[in-house]
Amino acid sequence: MILVSGGAGYIGSHFVKRLLQNRSDILVLDNLSRGHRESIPANVEFINADIRNYVELKDSLSNYKIDAVVHFAAFAYVGESVENPELYYENNVMGSFNLIRVVKDLGVKSFVFSSTCSLYGNPDNIPISENEKVKPINPYAQTKLTVENILSDFSISYGINYAALRYFNAAGADTSGEIGESHDPEPHLIPIVLQAALGKREKVFIFGDDYNTPDGTCIRDYIHVNDLADAHISALRYLEDEKKSLIVNLGTGEGYSVKEIIDTAAKITGRDIQSETTDRRPGDPAVLVADNKKALDILGWKPEHDLESIISSAWNWHKNQKY
Ligand code: UDP
């Protein structure tokens, strides 16, 4: 059985949908604090539990024969992590530690972890390879790095193999239109731009146009959520076959500026999208683009979706948002 923590969240739910095409023995664990019950397929077993509660976690998982864990459950807003680091250390570090301890005691040897490119802070080199120095500049990234370190220590001492998948900017939605991105409040650029296209917000605020980039706005590497989901399936296979750990960046290797995102969304939606430049958002690096060679070589994985496909799938979801 594959245990998926945070399987009701944005990336977790897309992973579950993709994994269901290969296997049916999936167990989703989520406390639904930010996830959506509607995003879990009816035929998937679901436990409503909180990773912060060690006893509850242990009790709920003890009866299952778990082969591998894919751990998505976490809070993932940089701004919120600066306002409330306590919440982030409690959920992302303590919660992950609880889960890792429980699965270690259950003898699970494969653990896939949602990590982040924000570990690299303001990187010295673009594109960013896994050899880039990690230097988190906010509590969110610190919590993810701490969990990577716990996993590294546990792999050495207890023989747990882990894959730390360092995501760049997850975006887009499953083409079925059944599941997609739904955060409240929504901090991410592409959903915000599409909400503006739908008239749900008046305009998009561009956080700074005085960066050292061609049009002055920040550049990010947007990766389709189903491409990310598929990389987890490849990572599970890698852990099972190779029996060793892996740290890998997941991005497309292509960067787009905030203005390019707004222009592409205007073209795809055929709507007018108003924007206004405001101050920089604290902690935003100018450019984050992945060097994804390692993922291509080691996982045999390749992103399938380009920016147009990302934005049109997200548009398909946001026009008829189900939750
Ligand atoms: N951004 C923006 N306006 C918004 C939201 C985001 O200009 O309303 C910019 C943000 O500064 C960053 C990029 O869009 O450069 C992507 O931000 P997002 O929050 O989607 O992802 P992040 O890169 O922070 O993980």
Side-chain angles (χ1 to χ4, degrees):
M1 180 154 247
I2 306 285
L3 170 65
V4 185
S5 79
Y10 170 44
I11 305 173
S13 61
H14 284 78
F15 168 73
V16 168
K17 194 161 197 296
R18 304 292 276 191
L19 188 66
L20 260 183
Q21 296 172 1
N22 302 325
R23 56 191 296 168
S24 55
D25 55 340
I26 303 172
L27 174 62
V28 166
L29 184 142
D30 202 297
N31 68 355
L32 300 179
S33 67
R34 297 195 178 175
H36 304 272
R37 183 68 182 92
E38 306 93 301
S39 69
I40 309 169
N43 55 344
V44 167
E45 199 166 341
F46 170 63
I47 298 178
N48 187 336
D50 195 315
I51 55 173
R52 287 170 289 198
N53 186 333
Y54 176 78
V55 174
E56 183 185 54
L57 198 58
K58 192 156 193 183
D59 284 351
S60 14
L61 296 180
S62 294
N63 299 324
Y64 292 93
K65 160 90 193 64
I66 297 168
D67 303 306
V69 177
V70 187
H71 175 39
F72 294 98
F75 292 148
Y77 299 164
V78 169
E80 185 183 55
S81 80
V82 176
E83 281 155 29
N84 195 351
E86 182 180 0
L87 187 69
Y88 275 67
Y89 280 91
E90 184 189 39
N91 195 46
N92 295 5
V93 175
M94 193 185 83
S96 296
F97 183 54
N98 285 340
L99 180 64
I100 295 165
R101 284 169 69 204
V102 169
V103 300
K104 166 196 155 275
D105 290 343
L106 295 176
V108 181
K109 295 292 181 210
S110 299
F111 196 101
V112 179
F113 174 58
S114 300
S115 191
T116 168
C117 70
S118 64
L119 295 186
Y120 300 115
N122 286 300
D124 296 326
N125 304 288
I126 300 290
I128 307 168
S129 81
E130 295 78 0
N131 299 324
E132 186 70 28
K133 259 209 288 329
V134 286
K135 33 180 176 37
I137 53 170
N138 57 62
Y140 166 67
Q142 290 284 11
T143 64
K144 290 287 176 177
L145 180 58
T146 305
V147 177
E148 281 200 12
N149 290 334
I150 294 170
L151 286 169
S152 168
D153 290 339
F154 272 50
S155 76
I156 293 164
S157 304
Y158 307 123
I160 295 175
N161 299 309
Y162 72 96
L165 306 183
R166 295 178 175 169
Y167 311 157
F168 282 66
N169 289 55
D174 189 64
T175 43
S176 65
E178 287 167 12
I179 53 175
E181 188 167 8
S182 176
H183 297 121
D184 186 20
E186 182 56 71
H188 295 127
L189 181 65
I190 291 178
I192 285 174
V193 167
L194 297 178
Q195 285 169 358
L198 285 167
K200 290 186 176 170
R201 49 177 93 213
E202 197 192 327
K203 57 178 115 163
V204 179
F205 290 102
I206 298 173
F207 298 149
D209 63 1
D210 56 351
Y211 284 93
N212 187 16
T213 60
D215 66 17
T217 64
C218 287
I219 292 177
R220 294 289 180 273
D221 181 335
Y222 296 90
I223 170 133
H224 195 283
V225 64
N226 277 350
D227 283 330
L228 275 186
D230 289 347
H232 291 70
I233 296 174
S234 306
L236 278 174
R237 200 173 306 127
Y238 177 91
L239 294 177
E240 206 171 286
D241 293 348
E242 304 292 329
K243 309 223 168 350
K244 43 183 197 204
S245 296
L246 171 75
I247 292 179
V248 73
N249 288 342
L250 294 179
T252 64
E254 300 282 337
Y256 294 95
S257 73
V258 175
K259 283 188 179 158
E260 285 174 317
I261 297 294
I262 297 173
D263 291 347
T264 310
K267 200 172 82 198
I268 287 172
T269 61
R271 309 274 176 106
D272 183 37
I273 300 172
Q274 300 291 320
S275 63
E276 181 185 324
T277 301
T278 54
D279 293 344
R280 290 181 177 201
R281 187 170 67 177
D284 265 342
V287 183
L288 291 174
V289 175
D291 174 341
N292 63 8
K293 274 192 215 69
K294 187 172 178 186
L296 270 59
D297 291 349
I298 296 193
L299 293 179
W301 163 89
K302 191 161 95 341
E304 305 277 328
H305 297 269
D306 62 10
L307 183 67
E308 302 225 333
S309 162
I310 290 173
I311 295 184
S312 43
S313 66
W315 179 234
N316 182 45
W317 161 253
H318 283 284
K319 271 187 304 189
N320 299 296
Q321 198 167 334
K322 297 204 163 45
Y323 49 80

